[in-house]
Amino acid sequence: MMTLSASLDIIPRMGSAVIEHCRVTRGHVDKDIAGFNKDMAALAESSRGLRSRGITFSCISWLPPEILTTVFTYIVEEDTLKSHTDTSRPCAAPISMIITHVCRHWRQIALESPTLWASLNCVSANWLDIMFERSKKAALVVIYRSPSSLRKCFQQIFSQLPRIKFLQLCSYPWEVNRILDCLSSQPAPSLQTFKFSVARKFYTRVIRPISDAIFQGRAPLLRSVELTECTFSWTSCIFSRLRTLDVRRIGSTSYPTLSQLLSALRRMPELEQLTLGLSSRISEDIEFSDQVPLTQLKGIALDACTLRNAVSLFSCLAFPVNVKIALNLAPIGSCLSDLFSAMYKDPDGPGPIIRSMRASLSYHTFGVQFGTSMAFKSEYFWDPRDDDILLSIQFKCSSSTRKPPIIFDMCQMVPHRQIQSLFVTSSLCLRDNFWRVGSTDLPELESIQLSGTCDIRSLVAVLQSGGTQSSDLAYPSLHVLELENIDFGCGEAEELQDIIIMRAGHGVGIDELRLVKCRNLVDDRVQLLKEVVTDVDWDGHEEGLVGGDGSGGGCLCHICRDESSSGEDYMQALLHSDYDYDPDSDTYSED
């Protein structure tokens, strides 16, 4: 029989053997893991080598280094100047740094191209020293649209101020003074463009104007300045050689008097583009006997401007007749004629021909544009940069300007008009009077493009009206009709067909008809139109159709909606359709 002492002696010896066995086994496992990691590292290195060799032998690597450098430069410039993000990309790596990690060949070319490292688009502070070193002596492009990214590195950036040619910054209000002090610490001999904005939504406080001390008063190449939520001292000479001046949302404490504004502009004889936000009334402190000549001016835009300020400024400026004018006005009143008189001081003199007009009508805002071409290329209604548009006026609607025919009043004030194309986008129900006034004021109109309005009853009625002679018909020169996003009423396609036949009999037929996204329109009705119109372009869009079994929700046209709606609903629609509607009078009065 085994004793207790003997049994106790067995257990320790067995435990020691197990522990020793585990130790040996673990050693083998560690060796296997180490070998595996070594093999994986070798495989990764081999893969990198093969990938590098593959890129080296690819077609793009056969290109000469100077062509690759051009491609890389385009990529960097596009990222810098066209990016609209407010923060840097993930890991804050500049795009030039990403290029160097593709292959050894690309890395060598990128490192030998200082201009690739000269574009700083919201670059993290961790990369700035590397960018400065690799850019060598190349002129810098610095863009920081985010105040949070700028506040971490603006001292590093401003240490390179003499090398910067393009500087765009956005600052928190409480850091403006520090930034202006840094900008005043050195001259900026290479600076050509300076853009500075203040993020006022975070904090409200008085922002001090930019003085002559900025750049130590030495920025001889500076030609473009854009300021938002801040301004400069209007008596300053630092910005006296500008070609572009854009100052918007001027603080009340920095608002110039008319004499200060004109004195500043007088010091800019080479000015080509002027954009000002003049929401508060300019103090007309003195009378000017002569006008400020801006002989090189190509465009002037007044944003969030009162009508009185616009009249005051235009009355004191002399500029070429082909200047593009863009106005975003507060509600306008009875002095509309004063505005056009101030803008066009010699309406009978030479000038470009106005051939097209576009109108945008909504419940709160009206907009009118006049262009020299037959079409409008711009996607935006108020765009000072559009080369074909000579005049854009957008304004809030007041009680005296709510009648849509006001746009034709403007048309009569524009000199050198031979308007042949009319583009109308409206969320309102345009009444007969609108189209009758248009027919009277635009006798040479050849094309109408109507979009967005809920129906075309009034246009159809006016096209049908007239006497027995072609000259008595509305729009006697009309031969192109484009309808987009329109609700066709029941029977209106047939009625339009009859009108086209009638007009054709008088020699004023419609030659081209374009239908885009028109509702309650089916192939059978379009075929009727194709029988009388030479060129019908229909996108095949079908919506809001009448189902024979009552399915599909029924007809969506205005007639069926009116019949199914209550009287109260109809009156609400009527009240919102055309502003100050007077059932006894459909005339427009500016007063």
Side-chain angles (χ1 to χ4, degrees), residues 420-495:
Q420 298 170 300
S421 297
L422 173 63
F423 302 80
V424 179
T425 302
S426 176
S427 59
L428 311 176
C429 292
L430 301 175
R431 302 190 181 280
D432 296 4
N433 185 55
F434 175 85
W435 297 109
R436 290 196 191 98
V437 173
S439 177
T440 302
D441 293 344
L442 305 175
E444 300 177 356
L445 196 67
E446 298 179 0
S447 173
I448 293 179
Q449 178 177 311
L450 178 60
S451 174
T453 189
C454 61
D455 65 78
I456 59 170
R457 282 179 293 180
S458 56
L459 176 59
V460 169
V462 171
L463 290 177
Q464 190 177 21
S465 62
T468 58
Q469 303 296 323
S470 60
S471 58
D472 297 331
L473 293 175
Y475 301 101
S477 300
L478 182 67
H479 64 84
V480 177
L481 183 60
E482 301 185 23
L483 304 175
E484 181 174 351
N485 196 22
I486 302 294
D487 289 333
F488 267 80
C490 293
E492 281 186 346
E494 294 84 349
E495 186 176 357

Side-chain angles (χ1 to χ4, degrees), residues 384-397:
R385 301 164 297 179
D386 197 306
D387 291 334
D388 294 329
I389 300 175
L390 287 187
L391 175 61
S392 296
I393 301 179
Q394 181 171 286
F395 56 93
K396 302 295 183 182
C397 301

Side-chain angles (χ1 to χ4, degrees), residues 123 126 128 143 247 277 297 320 336 373 415 433 446 479 523 540 573:
V123 175
N126 299 330
L128 283 177
I143 299 177
V247 185
L297 195 65
L336 185 62
S373 68
N433 185 55
E446 298 179 0
H479 64 84
D523 184 67

Side-chain angles (χ1 to χ4, degrees), residues 355-552:
R355 301 189 182 279
S356 57
M357 181 174 75
R358 178 166 67 167
S360 176
L361 310 173
S362 65
Y363 186 72
H364 298 290
T365 306
F366 282 3
V368 188
Q369 286 182 319
F370 299 92
T372 56
S373 68
M374 294 286 288
F376 283 88
K377 302 176 182 178
S378 175
E379 297 180 2
Y380 303 97
F381 192 82
W382 191 79
D383 189 356
R385 301 164 297 179
D386 197 306
D387 291 334
D388 294 329
I389 300 175
L390 287 187
L391 175 61
S392 296
I393 301 179
Q394 181 171 286
F395 56 93
K396 302 295 183 182
C397 301
S398 64
S399 58
S400 63
T401 59
R402 287 183 175 176
K403 290 294 184 182
I406 189 177
I407 69 170
F408 298 117
D409 293 344
M410 294 183 183
C411 177
Q412 294 303 301
M413 300 176 191
V414 176
H416 310 295
R417 60 187 180 277
Q418 295 180 14
I419 296 178
Q420 298 170 300
S421 297
L422 173 63
F423 302 80
V424 179
T425 302
S426 176
S427 59
L428 311 176
C429 292
L430 301 175
R431 302 190 181 280
D432 296 4
N433 185 55
F434 175 85
W435 297 109
R436 290 196 191 98
V437 173
S439 177
T440 302
D441 293 344
L442 305 175
E444 300 177 356
L445 196 67
E446 298 179 0
S447 173
I448 293 179
Q449 178 177 311
L450 178 60
S451 174
T453 189
C454 61
D455 65 78
I456 59 170
R457 282 179 293 180
S458 56
L459 176 59
V460 169
V462 171
L463 290 177
Q464 190 177 21
S465 62
T468 58
Q469 303 296 323
S470 60
S471 58
D472 297 331
L473 293 175
Y475 301 101
S477 300
L478 182 67
H479 64 84
V480 177
L481 183 60
E482 301 185 23
L483 304 175
E484 181 174 351
N485 196 22
I486 302 294
D487 289 333
F488 267 80
C490 293
E492 281 186 346
E494 294 84 349
E495 186 176 357
L496 182 58
Q497 179 194 31
D498 295 338
I499 292 172
I500 294 174
I501 294 174
M502 180 270 294
R503 292 175 65 90
H506 289 79
V508 290
I510 304 296
D511 300 327
E512 299 179 29
L513 179 62
R514 180 170 173 262
L515 305 168
V516 179
K517 295 182 181 178
C518 291
R519 294 170 291 276
N520 205 42
L521 194 63
V522 294
D523 184 67
D524 291 344
R525 296 176 182 176
V526 176
Q527 291 301 323
L528 294 176
L529 297 172
K530 288 183 177 180
E531 293 177 1
V532 294
V533 180
T534 304
D535 185 4
V536 177
D537 182 10
W538 179 46
D539 63 351
H541 181 80
E542 297 183 357
E543 180 181 330
L545 308 180
V546 180
D549 58 353
S551 62

Side-chain angles (χ1 to χ4, degrees), residues 234-235 256-267 282-288 292 313 316:
W234 295 94
T235 59
T257 64
L258 182 60
S259 61
Q260 289 175 333
L261 177 57
L262 295 176
S263 297
L265 295 178
R266 194 181 294 275
R267 294 191 295 270
I282 300 177
S283 175
E284 301 179 14
D285 45 354
I286 61 174
E287 291 288 339
F288 278 81
V292 177
L313 182 59
C316 299

Side-chain angles (χ1 to χ4, degrees), residues 255 277-282 284 302-315 325 327-343 391-396 398 400-401 406 410 413 588 590:
Y255 223 73
L278 301 175
S279 56
S280 298
R281 182 176 177 180
I282 300 177
E284 301 179 14
L302 303 182
D303 189 20
C305 181
T306 65
L307 183 60
R308 183 178 297 275
N309 282 348
V311 172
S312 299
L313 182 59
F314 280 119
S315 299
I325 300 174
L327 307 177
N328 186 11
L329 301 175
I332 62 177
S334 58
C335 57
L336 185 62
S337 58
D338 295 341
L339 173 63
F340 281 82
S341 298
M343 290 190 298
L391 175 61
S392 296
I393 301 179
Q394 181 171 286
F395 56 93
K396 302 295 183 182
S398 64
S400 63
T401 59
I406 189 177
M410 294 183 183
M413 300 176 191
Y588 161 75
E590 201 171 77

Side-chain angles (χ1 to χ4, degrees), residues 47-87:
S47 177
R48 282 193 294 269
L50 290 173
R51 185 168 59 250
S52 178
R53 290 179 62 188
I55 295 174
T56 302
F57 288 110
S58 64
C59 294
I60 192 171
S61 294
W62 297 349
L63 296 175
E66 56 270 18
I67 295 181
L68 280 175
T69 301
T70 302
V71 173
F72 297 160
T73 302
Y74 175 80
I75 294 173
V76 171
E77 290 179 350
E78 184 179 40
D79 176 76
T80 302
L81 299 179
K82 295 185 179 180
S83 173
H84 297 287
T85 57
D86 290 336
T87 57

